[in-house]
Amino acid sequence: MKQAEVEAFTAGLERVECTENYGYIFFFVGDDHFRPFVTLASADYEYDSVSHLDREGVFRVNIGVGRETFDSLVGAAVPEEIDYTALNVFLPHPEYARQHFLCILNPSGENADKTRELIVEAHGLAAARLARREEKKEGE
């Protein structure tokens, strides 16, 4: 999967808005720009260089999934043993694992399909979060 394919797939989901900032592309559901459900990074920055994205063509997909999904894919990872430079491996996000974000560099093969599934899950969670906020506003 190329970065452009991930961008197009994610942007094609219902009510998705995206913005670029700090060298990342952030994807949100609707105008709720509080918490993205997916981010893409394609370069190293002084505050984020653990994945060595300065390699030609390497990008990282960060996906906010549910607790159960997170635990089933990366919950057993030992932080000291994680190689954040590994391609096509699901890993806990280096900074946002507590929020159930996982990441993968250059997903391919079966992991490209799984990445799409996880993006759809993350989108659903973000849409539900937005719906709850909208219902709460209407009730006020």
Side-chain angles (χ1 to χ4, degrees), residues 8-137:
F9 178 81
T10 308
L13 298 173
E14 188 175 337
R15 292 185 69 188
V16 170
E17 295 182 9
C18 69
T19 186
E20 290 188 46
N21 207 348
Y22 303 107
Y24 291 88
I25 302 173
F26 297 87
F27 293 90
F28 304 92
V29 173
D31 61 358
D32 179 21
H33 288 210
F34 176 70
R35 181 178 174 190
F37 67 97
V38 168
T39 64
L40 297 176
S42 59
D44 284 340
Y45 301 95
E46 67 181 71
Y47 52 86
D48 183 359
S49 60
V50 68
S51 296
H52 296 281
L53 299 174
D54 53 351
R55 295 174 285 165
E56 182 70 31
V58 176
F59 67 98
R60 187 176 72 213
V61 184
N62 307 306
I63 310 167
V65 296
R67 177 185 309 246
E68 190 173 300
T69 300
F70 181 88
D71 287 344
S72 72
L73 286 173
V74 299
V78 178
E80 299 80 29
E81 297 175 7
I82 296 172
D83 177 4
Y84 282 105
T85 66
L87 301 178
N88 197 34
V89 177
F90 289 105
L91 301 168
H93 188 279
E95 296 294 326
Y96 298 105
R98 286 187 172 170
Q99 291 82 17
H100 304 116
F101 267 78
L102 50 81
C103 63
I104 186 168
L105 277 63
N106 295 43
S108 62
E110 290 180 12
N111 281 345
D113 293 335
K114 185 67 175 176
T115 297
R116 287 184 197 91
E117 290 174 25
L118 295 170
I119 290 170
V120 169
E121 175 183 330
H123 177 267
L125 292 169
R129 202 168 37 248
L130 178 60
R132 287 191 301 272
R133 282 197 186 113
E134 289 173 343
E135 286 174 13
K136 186 177 179 183
K137 283 182 184 179

